[in-house]
Amino acid sequence: MKSGFNLLSLILLLSIFSCTDEKSNEKETKRPNIVFIMSDDHAYQAISAYSDKLIQTPNIDRIANEGILFTNASVTNSICAPSRAVILTGKHSHINGKIDNLTPFDTTNVTFPQILQKAGYQTAMFGKLHFGNNPKGFDEFKILPGQGDYYNPKFITQKGDTTIQGYVTDITTDLTLDWMEKRRDTTKPFLLMYLHKAPHRSWLPAKRHYTEFTKKTFPLPETLFDDYANRGTAAATAEMNILKHMTYNYDNKVYPEIVKALNIDDRELYNPIERMTPEQRASWDSVYGPINEDFKKRYPGMNDSTLMVWKYQRYMQDYLGTIAAVDENVGRLLDYLDEEGLTENTLVVYTSDQGFYLGEHGWFDKRFMYDESFKTPLLIRWPHVITPKTTSEELVQNLDFAQTFLEVAGVKAPDDMQGESLMPLLKGETEKWDRDAVYYHYYEYPAEHAVKRHYGIATKNFKLIHFYYDVDEWELYDRKKDPLEMNNVYDDPTYAETLAQMKEKLTSIREKYKDSDALSEQYIDIYKDKGLIE
């Protein structure tokens, strides 16, 4: 009898503990999952939710259709690694120390994935980080070394390096879904950082897309032949003009032997198609070979105008071709969330590490505070919280992501983070959002593309920029009357009052974010110490 009582007691105790564990796990899994999708150099102009002039992106658009589209999202520093550091730390570049692609990332920085991991989230990263080979705060990662490769890429993992045959955008998704299916702990909420290399230079599409996109012709930007009048030195001296600075071989895929035969002065860069297998190369040559032969025949009769248009079309065909693969693979991930019943409790973000020029002002690349570089796509879906098909014109930045994700997870953000949680905007509580200006600072000069150092402030209506170091020039733009930013009104007496107000705001926001001319001088000294400048 006594033995029976003990057995019954044991069963009851086990039942209680089991129920407690189930309730604990159930409570844990109710914390929202976070899927952060970021592409590299994806211009908002190349997402059909923003504009359908260049490409259709139905899967990326789906996030906006089922959530919110931000039309005034921007970055604090438009260059790859610094942008990623801002996202991870929730701090401006001058605070986290990652001011450019050259300086190392200070690993003593605390990142939001570390905080979420400590708070019980399972964390994983797949794709392109762009700095550091051992990211902190992740239970598993498989990342590309540096820029990575489009074909047959190498990945860095906790178990060592591995090379995988295939196309990088597809592989990144394969790795992501493999983790989701086989190693995700279903008792925990998860943070998944799903990071694409595409559409970063040198824009190598997959076979299924280059056969299609190389046949397309795209509309020319209104400012393709910009002469940079009515602006200062910076725009006129930048080295990212499609005609003058885009390379024939590396960028436009003109074979080296044809470049040489035509006696074209072209910079020699790493040739990424050399990574292809013989089968991949044969397929590539079957499409790009005829393009090369046609160019060889036409080149002698081309002038600067026709050559600019040819280079622009080649650029768009390959750039947009890489985006087609990103969109398809975003669809694969969204479908998986649906199939596994994860959609309802998962926040999904799509963004880029900055904007990009698609021929506007005659440019490719980024770096400037002008809109195509400064603004970045941002689409967020969160069922039952975000009202579908919402559009927000509020001023938000990549600086805000860390604090947003921490609030979503119910975790207190460190006091030294500098962003603001987007939660009021996600909930439709716009009246609780009081930001009227955002701050920007670019440091990497002299360097690739020769974009001068500058900082500035943007409101919904105006933008004030100060170029410094080797120049001392100011630019003011009326964002409503001059959305293409073609006319600097800094010296226009009509804008004298506006200029005074913007300068006052700039001083205030620099104090708020703890930036200063003295700190800028310190970072100039870093360049001098490295021998990059005299």
Side-chain angles (χ1 to χ4, degrees), residues 406-433:
L406 292 176
E407 183 170 354
V408 166
V411 179
K412 185 181 184 303
D415 293 336
D416 61 352
M417 283 188 173
Q418 295 181 302
E420 297 179 30
S421 170
L422 301 176
M423 190 68 83
L425 300 178
L426 303 185
K427 290 183 174 180
E429 299 170 349
T430 307
E431 70 281 358
K432 295 183 180 179
W433 187 261

Side-chain angles (χ1 to χ4, degrees), residues 339-354:
E339 292 161 5
E340 297 300 312
L342 294 168
T343 297
E344 295 300 299
N345 193 39
T346 301
L347 175 89
V348 176
V349 175
Y350 186 89
T351 191
S352 175
D353 50 355
Q354 64 264 318

